[in-house]
Amino acid sequence: MKHTKMYVVMAALLFSTMIPAMVMAEEEVAERPFIYGVSSLVVNLDPQNAWDSASGDMITQISEGLFSYDLTDPNLAIQPQLAKDFGNWSEDATEYTVELKQGVKFHDGEDFTADDVVFSFERLEFFCVNETQTQIAELYEPLASLYPNTPLLINKTEAIDDYTVKFTLNYPYVAFEPLLCFYGSVILSEKSTPAEEYLVTATDTLIGTGPYYQESNNDRLTVYKYFEDYYGEHIPEIKEMHWVLYDDATTLNQAFLSGDVDAVGAISLEFMSEYAGSEFHEVGDRLQGTVIIYLGMDNDVIGVNTRFAIRDAINYTYIIEELGKGELAQMTSIVPKGIMYHDESIKAPVQNITSARLHILDAISAGELTAPSGFDLDETSADEEWEASEIASYSYTYNAGNAMREGVGELCKANLAKIGISVTVTGKTWGEFLNDLNNAEVEIYMLGWGPDYNDPSNFINPLMSNTSSANAAHVNDTKLQKMMSDGLTETNMTAREEIYKEMQNYINDEVVPWAYLYVSNSRSVRYIGVENTCRNAMGIPYFYLWTFDYTTIPKGIPGFNILAIFGIAAISFSGLMYKKRN
């Protein structure tokens, strides 16, 4: 079965500029629903099968796991959520015992107990191993290549008593707590959730313990309301949310500017000047996100010396400043800033045509490439001579309609010609592109990857392991393979950090499977008087903690909206991000 995770990188939460400067009374605001305009509503209601950001955003409002990220902390520290505190490991690191919070209720009125934890993970196990395998199964089989007879991480989940649960793992896995923060690990109501059938998005209701419950859902609108029996001490100021689907980004941004929505899930750069010029908003500093965008190369087709040459030939400044209009951060490592063990010492790549040509000459000497008859160029030869040499030819394929990816393709065509490589740029539908990628018919391509949970293994292992269906570049490096296994099994945190830093440098300096391009950025736009908006590098929207100073909220906006929300505009030009393949 093949499956993908399609990210329209969520840029969230910027606010209207066309507001008369009158003050709104608190009771006027509190009675109105909060309108959130999005480009995609929930795709898959079931947390144990969802594999897209829009569904994950919805699940985060409704359901909770044993642990979560502190979205008010820039470092995204892990914190207990339904767990009372952090658990205790056995000496061999294969048993993890957790005490649970008491007094928590599900949206169906049932009490949360250890039985619900057991049910949720037994249900997940069923979907991981049955014939209609869940899309997220790979995350729960992190060492399948080392333990083929017991690929699932969790061997057994058992209730010690009503409020204590013990996980028995098939092998030590130090990233277990981060995995429990992933939305696929949320706890579901045993009474209201089918044990061996996925929830149906169009007709079913997800029952969780979160601050909001889903009141209704259709293909244009999802309504969420505050759960009055929520155990949290904070009473949210957003009591009702309407998530409204807009068919294109321009219409969505225009609706936001006209005051028809209170926040948006995607913002176009063309509107940034209007936000910056608003007397009601302050455009803040950029925050580097955790979505990496890279130029992939089929390692089975393109040899290592040639990959070095392609990496050195690309004009990264043009991508960042011209195509990205200065709103992007250059990618330096496969593990981005904001993810555990990112190596700050790795420098961003720069264009160096001389170095690229030397690598081409090395590729010819090594037999990777065959020089045309009469070839006698060196690194100092004129561009015209290199362009005429046509030492190699590769295809660059992208999903048509994505201007950024088309632009990078044309840039590759121009840049690689200077090192004797001709490039054919072809746009295809997203489905056609994925089909070609799955069938190893794409030689050079541009893709993105975002984290499921905050651990470096969630970037390196899926994208570099020779057993991973997401390894579109066909990386197959024995030394790297061992490093990946060592990083997952090392229990000493200092030693583990060293392993991942060594891996990042080895990938960058020796393997060179891709050319690193950029990382998504976000800008905050704070409306006066709005606080606690949970701005975070992973781009997770979480509305429960938002607070408002009603004396500063202007009155008179069209429609029936709560006004003036601070938000994040995650500026991304990558469009869809390919995620998993089986």
Side-chain angles (χ1 to χ4, degrees), residues 38 97 109 130 138 183 292 298 304 381 484 535 542:
V38 297
T97 304
N130 75 355
E138 291 185 18
Y183 63 72
I292 60 173
D298 187 339
V304 63
S381 300
M484 286 187 278
R535 188 181 186 213
Y542 189 62

Side-chain angles (χ1 to χ4, degrees), residues 295 394-398 405 408-409 423-426 444-446:
L295 188 77
Y394 300 117
S395 63
Y396 172 94
T397 310
Y398 71 99
R405 293 188 179 181
V408 169
V423 176
T424 302
V425 179
T426 304
I444 302 177
Y445 54 91
M446 181 176 167

Side-chain angles (χ1 to χ4, degrees), residues 258-271:
S258 67
D260 291 333
V261 299
D262 303 313
V264 297
I267 186 167
S268 300
L269 275 178
E270 62 196 79
F271 293 95

Side-chain angles (χ1 to χ4, degrees), residues 287-306:
L287 172 68
Q288 185 170 315
T290 54
V291 175
I292 60 173
I293 310 297
Y294 58 92
L295 188 77
M297 295 177 270
D298 187 339
N299 289 202
D300 288 338
V301 176
I302 304 174
V304 63
N305 291 294
T306 309

Side-chain angles (χ1 to χ4, degrees), residues 351-406:
Q351 184 183 41
N352 186 329
I353 296 298
T354 298
S355 173
R357 289 172 178 174
L358 288 171
H359 285 303
I360 289 292
L361 298 175
D362 288 342
I364 293 172
S365 297
E368 289 178 18
L369 299 175
T370 301
S373 177
F375 178 84
D376 62 352
L377 303 182
D378 61 27
E379 69 275 14
T380 65
S381 300
D383 288 352
E384 294 78 7
E385 295 180 89
W386 275 93
E387 291 169 2
S389 67
E390 294 191 11
I391 300 168
S393 178
Y394 300 117
S395 63
Y396 172 94
T397 310
Y398 71 99
N399 49 298
N402 188 308
M404 182 64 166
R405 293 188 179 181
E406 182 178 7

